[in-house]
Amino acid sequence: MKVAKFGGTSLASAAQIKKVCEIVKSDEARKLVVVSAPGKRYKEDTKVTDLLIRYAEARLQGQPAEEVQSRIIGRYQDIIRELGLPVEAAEEIAAQLKEALHYIPAEDPGRFMDRVKAAGEDTCAKLVARYLQSQGREAVYVNPKDAGLVVTGEPGNAHVLPEAYEKLRNLKSQSGIVIFPGFFGFTPEGELVTFSRGGSDITGSILAAAVQAELYENFTDVDSVYVVNPSLVEKPKEIQIITYREMRELSYSGFSVFHEEALYPAYQAGIPVCIKNTNNPQAPGTMIVSERPFHENRVSGIAADKGFCSIYVSKYLLNKEIGFGRRLLQIFEEEGLSYEHTPSGIDNISVILREKDFTPQIEQRVVNRLKQELQAEDIIVERGLSLVMIVGEGMRRSVGTSARATSALARAKVNLEMINQGSSEVSMMFGVKEVDADRAVIALYEEFFAQSEEALADMAVTLKA
Amino acid sequence: MKVAKFGGTSLASAAQIKKVCEIVKSDEARKLVVVSAPGKRYKEDTKVTDLLIRYAEARLQGQPAEEVQSRIIGRYQDIIRELGLPVEAAEEIAAQLKEALHYIPAEDPGRFMDRVKAAGEDTCAKLVARYLQSQGREAVYVNPKDAGLVVTGEPGNAHVLPEAYEKLRNLKSQSGIVIFPGFFGFTPEGELVTFSRGGSDITGSILAAAVQAELYENFTDVDSVYVVNPSLVEKPKEIQIITYREMRELSYSGFSVFHEEALYPAYQAGIPVCIKNTNNPQAPGTMIVSERPFHENRVSGIAADKGFCSIYVSKYLLNKEIGFGRRLLQIFEEEGLSYEHTPSGIDNISVILREKDFTPQIEQRVVNRLKQELQAEDIIVERGLSLVMIVGEGMRRSVGTSARATSALARAKVNLEMINQGSSEVSMMFGVKEVDADRAVIALYEEFFAQSEEALADMAVTLKA
């Protein structure tokens, strides 16, 4: 049994939905299908989820929302018509969608927002089920409430509850193809709550873990995950196989193919994941697994993320003060700041965090507290940092990886603000100025991927001669 | 006005004390002289301080201590005789020493130990003052209690109190040469307390800061501080000038020329420090200052220290848990452990600490708490680590230093367990296995010191040709 999840671009239009259904029909094992809401049909298009958010915000502010409501309903009506669904089916789906949109904003705007957003996936799932039925297949829309996908209650930030897995396991005995809306679940009290944005990946991963699927297929619009951001490097290499840990590190630092939290249920249950392309289902895609064979090049990907800042704190003999680091982190925690890393010297420590959280007001408060409560001598805030990462299992155990990386960066005239290696077994991290980030990524790609192929080609020439 | 401090080997014998007095007499500005207790005369000799500790321990355990007492008194009597001091002076000094040694162990063994240890420096100071007087100089022994060197009360671990500086400033108006015993002070209640071992350096630094000396001279038995441990490299380069921050980082990691805490008072008051050789006072020595000019080679020293261990903790999506790092450090703090560094990956964090503190019992307790209180998934303890450091002001601002370092280490087949760069402006730290540490230091020395000279020589040859 396989779980197949389809992303927004795979469901953006009737033509795309037809492709999805062909893919589902082509493999008997694809018995559990998770769908997103219709995404963009073309670059300037708007995703249905964004229209739904716009609609909900207008309603919450008491502003007119008719126009955006028509656009939303129109998107589905176009699809229904183009799929040639029977009139009564079309009417039923449209009526249910209208009903969902006409919820009255309750005392809790978060709940209202979640209900409206969820309508995107929910309607899409009903529609896909109807279409498969119209094709003569046994297909059934299953609602997350009925299936038992119970979650925690924070609006827009649900987390699956452990008991959900037991309940969802019953989906195994459902006859026919199950079409399941992604992105949301229900609290034990029956309140609808969505996952964070992009959370349909999470739904698919939870279902795959619950039914102990042989494979969790995640259909998107690229043939595979690339070893580097394809907007920086022309035709970068594709990743054929990668471990959960590697994928997790890449997801953190700018690889947006897969929701950061989505891997966890599959990882825990040991379900292999395959990233595939709805528009080219023959391509093998990228496999995400527990363990992979090491090949010569132990680096499996290079990623970068911008928008970090560092707060450097120094104090003479800081090193001898028991509890200094803990008290420092407590100040950040009390100010609601989540930090990323804390490299340290002998008498100094830096805290690296996401710049967006560190507003000028918070900065002033934190700096004052560091001076007053910790008697810090120097405090230097540096903004505009980027973290560049090399990811690869077993990399750490091979002598010379850091030498190759730092030499490549030096040749590219990238100054290293920070190097963090030593905790993770699978990554090495470089802090650079944002303006240097792209150059750093390209230099590392050339060192670990492009160059090695040239070297191999050279070697082949030498051997022939 | 200069403060000159002389270490144990400079006072080990009458011949050495004569050298000290020649040095003092040769510069009118040397008006404040701090002395240690007599050290080793030859490699197998025992320092007076170690004899005193042995004596105090025997007394505390109610064991016979006459023999070691005779050895201590004998050391001073030999010196007094060889210096040719008048009989009454010799008798007075010996009587005072005997009196000090005959303290009755009180209810507080720590206080007793401190009083006995301090007698080493105290007797030496009296003796030097007498000798200078016998040479026709105006010299006066000053007791730390009379001078106002007030300190905190923990036995063997005194810290200077802020009000001491005000009181000690009066030493400026003392006529003649002041001979001051190093290593100890008195609590405001009048109890004698010693600094940590090697603390005469601290006394000198405090006096220099208090009187706003033009220079704090620290006389020892080497011509200068070397850029690397001279037991690893033959005739290593000498450091001519170094900043307080550089010296602090080197002191941390195995450079034992100067007490770790001793630099602080001089650093705060901006007093330049000069490390000189009693046996070769003409050598310029090593200057420690606030700022130094950068030269081509921005690295000023390479050091290594052994005996570290790392505790690796991983948990999927750890990165999203606000407060994880703080709670982790709190566990270490509650177990009385002072940690050194905390490199981190995305979903993992390592704590580096001194191995001696991390006993198997504490390890078991910490590992259990990490599992139970933080639900950590993997915990790996690695022992036998060494931290190797490259120290140099401005190094970070030059592109390629890390590339040169990591390449040199890769060529020497040193696997890097950890790289920590980014907080300190003046150092770069590599974690390696202890067995690799010496090889790592030698490789870095060759890269940053030996090689550049060869390269310069090569260049000179090329230019001549």
Side-chain angles (χ1 to χ4, degrees):
Chain A
M1 185 172 197
K2 294 177 184 172
V3 172
K5 180 262 166 183
F6 293 89
T9 54
S10 305
L11 300 148
S13 66
Q16 287 297 88
I17 289 177
K18 284 178 183 170
K19 286 186 200 168
V20 166
C21 291
E22 283 314 307
I23 291 169
V24 171
K25 290 190 290 183
S26 70
D27 185 345
E28 287 281 319
R30 289 184 180 126
K31 290 214 28 171
L32 251 170
V33 176
V34 177
V35 296
S36 296
K40 292 185 181 186
R41 291 159 294 186
Y42 42 88
K43 200 159 179 273
E44 294 74 24
D45 199 12
T46 308
K47 294 175 180 178
V48 165
T49 304
D50 286 322
L51 293 174
L52 287 165
I53 291 170
R54 208 180 294 169
Y55 170 84
E57 281 173 349
R59 289 285 309 282
L60 284 170
Q61 287 158 21
Q63 284 168 0
E66 289 76 21
E67 201 190 311
V68 64
Q69 182 182 336
S70 314
R71 273 186 73 182
I72 295 163
I73 296 176
R75 283 288 303 264
Y76 287 103
Q77 280 172 334
D78 287 351
I79 293 172
I80 290 168
R81 194 182 56 246
E82 286 169 35
L83 288 177
L85 288 182
V87 180
E88 63 277 15
E91 277 170 2
E92 194 187 321
I93 288 171
Q96 285 175 356
L97 174 61
K98 274 185 192 159
E99 198 189 310
L101 292 186
H102 275 84
Y103 280 120
I104 306 298
E107 64 282 3
D108 187 340
R111 291 268 175 268
F112 172 71
M113 175 62 86
D114 276 7
R115 282 199 292 256
V116 170
K117 281 192 296 183
E121 276 73 10
D122 204 47
T123 307
C124 194
K126 288 170 180 167
L127 201 155
V128 170
R130 288 293 177 115
Y131 181 67
L132 278 169
Q133 288 159 10
S134 77
Q135 300 268 301
R137 293 286 165 148
E138 189 187 355
V140 54
Y141 156 82
V142 172
N143 185 283
K145 193 175 202 167
D146 300 332
L149 177 42
V150 280
V151 296
T152 55
E154 188 191 342
N157 194 27
H159 287 97
V160 65
L161 289 169
E163 55 267 37
Y165 291 100
E166 185 67 37
K167 293 175 182 168
L168 290 166
R169 196 168 302 152
N170 294 327
L171 290 171
K172 280 176 90 165
S173 50
Q174 177 78 45
S175 74
I177 302 164
V178 170
I179 313 296
F180 200 99
F183 194 35
F184 66 98
F186 287 84
T187 65
E189 295 75 33
E191 293 279 5
L192 185 154
V193 195
T194 65
F195 295 115
S196 56
R197 191 73 194 261
S200 292
D201 285 349
I202 304 178
T203 305
S205 187
I206 292 167
L207 295 195
V211 303
Q212 284 290 321
E214 61 184 282
L215 184 65
Y216 170 30
E217 296 176 308
N218 197 288
F219 283 89
T220 173
D221 54 4
V222 288
D223 274 3
S224 72
V225 181
Y226 296 104
V227 297
V228 70
N229 183 344
S231 74
L232 290 179
V233 173
E234 213 181 328
K235 286 193 193 159
K237 297 208 173 172
E238 297 178 351
I239 299 176
Q240 288 163 356
I241 188 164
I242 191 171
T243 66
Y244 298 117
R245 298 202 300 171
E246 290 173 322
M247 192 65 217
R248 164 77 181 120
E249 305 251 346
L250 290 172
S251 300
Y252 166 83
S253 47
F255 270 51
S256 54
V257 270
F258 208 58
H259 191 290
E260 203 179 16
E261 289 170 47
L263 219 49
Y264 190 56
Y267 156 77
Q268 272 210 313
I271 313 293
V273 179
C274 189
I275 310 279
K276 286 180 76 79
N277 190 352
T278 299
N279 305 315
N280 184 19
Q282 281 73 41
T286 296
M287 285 293 294
I288 310 175
V289 296
S290 300
E291 282 180 44
R292 68 171 176 90
F294 294 149
H295 41 71
E296 190 101 338
N297 203 342
R298 284 160 190 261
V299 174
S300 61
I302 291 156
D305 205 7
K306 302 187 177 185
F308 292 92
C309 63
S310 90
I311 298 98
Y312 166 90
V313 180
S314 80
K315 184 178 179 182
Y316 206 90
L317 294 181
L318 172 159
N319 176 267
K320 299 239 153 188
E321 270 185 56
I322 290 193
F324 189 96
R326 195 262 310 151
R327 285 183 290 143
L328 176 81
L329 297 185
Q330 193 143 12
I331 290 177
F332 281 85
E333 193 180 336
E334 284 166 9
E335 298 293 340
L337 295 166
S338 173
Y339 70 91
E340 307 289 312
H341 304 285
T342 54
S344 57
I346 306 306
D347 285 335
N348 49 67
I349 179 166
S350 291
V351 179
I352 313 285
L353 39 81
R354 299 249 178 208
E355 207 167 356
K356 67 174 166 45
D357 304 328
F358 202 59
T359 63
Q361 292 96 313
I362 292 184
E363 172 176 337
Q364 204 179 0
R365 223 165 40 226
V366 167
V367 168
N368 282 340
R369 290 190 64 182
L370 293 172
K371 279 188 187 152
Q372 282 161 20
E373 297 171 30
L374 298 181
Q375 282 84 48
E377 286 167 11
D378 290 322
I379 300 168
I380 300 165
V381 176
E382 197 180 344
R383 292 177 178 270
L385 291 178
S386 186
L387 294 184
V388 176
M389 294 190 36
I390 310 180
V391 175
E393 291 275 355
M395 189 175 70
R396 219 187 110 194
R397 253 166 261 112
S398 74
V399 169
T401 312
S402 46
R404 286 179 68 187
T406 51
S407 300
L409 293 170
R411 283 195 302 272
K413 302 264 186 292
V414 173
N415 194 15
L416 297 175
E417 304 285 317
M418 179 186 117
I419 305 177
N420 190 350
Q421 185 221 311
S423 188
S424 174
E425 294 275 328
V426 292
S427 72
M428 199 178 287
M429 192 184 302
F430 301 97
V432 304
K433 289 206 161 55
E434 276 176 4
V435 290
D436 291 339
D438 290 350
R439 216 165 66 250
V441 169
I442 294 167
L444 292 170
Y445 178 80
E446 282 173 359
E447 174 65 31
F448 289 103
F449 293 99
Q451 224 181 34
S452 62
E453 199 152 76
E454 273 172 41
L456 285 173
D458 280 355
M459 234 167 68
V461 169
T462 314
L463 287 171
K464 273 183 195 164
Chain B
M1 185 174 197
K2 296 177 185 171
V3 172
K5 180 259 165 185
F6 294 88
T9 54
S10 306
L11 300 148
S13 65
Q16 287 297 89
I17 290 178
K18 284 179 183 170
K19 285 187 199 166
V20 166
C21 293
E22 283 313 308
I23 291 169
V24 170
K25 290 191 287 181
S26 70
D27 186 344
E28 288 281 320
R30 289 181 181 129
K31 291 217 24 172
L32 251 169
V33 175
V34 177
V35 297
S36 296
K40 292 184 182 186
R41 291 159 293 187
Y42 42 88
K43 200 158 177 278
E44 294 73 24
D45 199 10
T46 309
K47 295 175 182 178
V48 165
T49 304
D50 287 320
L51 294 174
L52 288 165
I53 292 170
R54 208 181 294 170
Y55 170 82
E57 281 171 350
R59 289 283 310 280
L60 285 168
Q61 287 158 22
Q63 285 167 1
E66 289 74 23
E67 198 191 312
V68 62
Q69 181 182 337
S70 315
R71 272 186 73 183
I72 296 163
I73 295 175
R75 282 289 301 265
Y76 287 103
Q77 281 173 333
D78 287 351
I79 294 172
I80 290 168
R81 193 182 55 247
E82 286 168 36
L83 287 176
L85 288 181
V87 180
E88 63 276 16
E91 276 170 5
E92 193 187 321
I93 288 171
Q96 284 174 358
L97 174 62
K98 275 186 190 158
E99 197 189 310
L101 293 184
H102 275 84
Y103 279 122
I104 306 298
E107 64 282 2
D108 186 341
R111 291 269 176 267
F112 173 70
M113 176 61 86
D114 277 6
R115 281 197 293 257
V116 170
K117 282 193 295 183
E121 276 73 9
D122 203 47
T123 308
C124 194
K126 288 171 182 166
L127 201 153
V128 170
R130 288 291 177 119
Y131 181 66
L132 278 169
Q133 288 158 10
S134 78
Q135 300 270 303
R137 293 283 164 152
E138 189 187 355
V140 55
Y141 156 81
V142 171
N143 186 282
K145 193 176 204 168
D146 300 331
L149 177 42
V150 279
V151 297
T152 56
E154 189 191 342
N157 194 27
H159 287 96
V160 65
L161 289 169
E163 55 267 35
Y165 292 99
E166 185 66 38
K167 294 175 181 167
L168 291 166
R169 197 167 303 153
N170 294 328
L171 289 171
K172 279 176 91 164
S173 48
Q174 176 79 44
S175 74
I177 302 164
V178 170
I179 313 296
F180 201 100
F183 194 34
F184 67 97
F186 288 84
T187 65
E189 296 75 33
E191 293 279 3
L192 185 154
V193 195
T194 66
F195 295 114
S196 55
R197 190 73 194 260
S200 292
D201 285 349
I202 305 179
T203 305
S205 188
I206 292 167
L207 296 196
V211 303
Q212 283 290 320
E214 62 184 283
L215 184 65
Y216 170 31
E217 296 176 307
N218 197 289
F219 283 88
T220 172
D221 54 3
V222 288
D223 273 2
S224 71
V225 182
Y226 296 105
V227 297
V228 69
N229 183 344
S231 73
L232 290 178
V233 172
E234 212 183 327
K235 285 194 196 159
K237 296 208 175 174
E238 297 178 351
I239 298 177
Q240 288 164 354
I241 187 164
I242 192 172
T243 67
Y244 298 117
R245 299 201 301 172
E246 290 174 322
M247 193 63 218
R248 164 78 182 119
E249 306 250 345
L250 290 172
S251 299
Y252 166 82
S253 46
F255 270 52
S256 55
V257 267
F258 208 58
H259 191 291
E260 204 178 14
E261 291 171 45
L263 220 47
Y264 189 55
Y267 156 76
Q268 271 209 315
I271 313 292
V273 179
C274 190
I275 310 280
K276 286 179 78 77
N277 190 352
T278 299
N279 305 316
N280 184 18
Q282 281 72 41
T286 296
M287 285 293 294
I288 311 175
V289 296
S290 301
E291 283 180 45
R292 68 168 173 91
F294 295 148
H295 42 71
E296 191 101 337
N297 204 341
R298 285 161 188 262
V299 174
S300 60
I302 292 156
D305 205 6
K306 303 189 176 184
F308 293 92
C309 64
S310 90
I311 298 101
Y312 166 90
V313 179
S314 81
K315 184 178 182 183
Y316 206 88
L317 294 182
L318 172 158
N319 176 266
K320 300 240 154 190
E321 270 186 56
I322 291 193
F324 189 95
R326 195 262 310 153
R327 285 184 291 143
L328 176 81
L329 296 187
Q330 193 142 14
I331 290 175
F332 281 86
E333 193 179 337
E334 284 165 10
E335 296 294 341
L337 295 166
S338 173
Y339 70 92
E340 306 289 311
H341 303 286
T342 56
S344 57
I346 306 305
D347 286 336
N348 49 68
I349 180 165
S350 291
V351 179
I352 314 284
L353 38 83
R354 299 251 177 205
E355 207 167 358
K356 67 174 168 45
D357 304 327
F358 202 60
T359 63
Q361 293 96 311
I362 292 184
E363 171 175 339
Q364 206 178 359
R365 223 164 43 226
V366 166
V367 168
N368 283 340
R369 291 190 64 182
L370 293 173
K371 279 188 186 151
Q372 282 162 21
E373 296 171 31
L374 298 181
Q375 281 84 47
E377 287 166 10
D378 291 321
I379 300 168
I380 301 164
V381 176
E382 198 180 344
R383 291 177 178 270
L385 291 179
S386 186
L387 294 184
V388 177
M389 296 190 35
I390 311 179
V391 174
E393 291 275 355
M395 189 175 72
R396 221 186 107 195
R397 255 167 261 112
S398 74
V399 170
T401 311
S402 45
R404 286 179 68 187
T406 51
S407 300
L409 293 170
R411 283 195 303 272
K413 301 265 186 293
V414 172
N415 195 15
L416 296 177
E417 304 285 316
M418 179 187 116
I419 306 177
N420 190 352
Q421 185 222 311
S423 187
S424 175
E425 295 274 328
V426 292
S427 73
M428 199 177 288
M429 193 184 301
F430 302 97
V432 304
K433 289 204 163 56
E434 277 176 2
V435 290
D436 291 338
D438 290 351
R439 216 166 65 251
V441 169
I442 293 166
L444 292 170
Y445 177 80
E446 281 173 0
E447 174 63 32
F448 289 103
F449 294 99
Q451 224 179 35
S452 62
E453 199 152 78
E454 272 173 40
L456 284 173
D458 280 355
M459 236 167 65
V461 168
T462 314
L463 286 173
K464 273 184 197 165

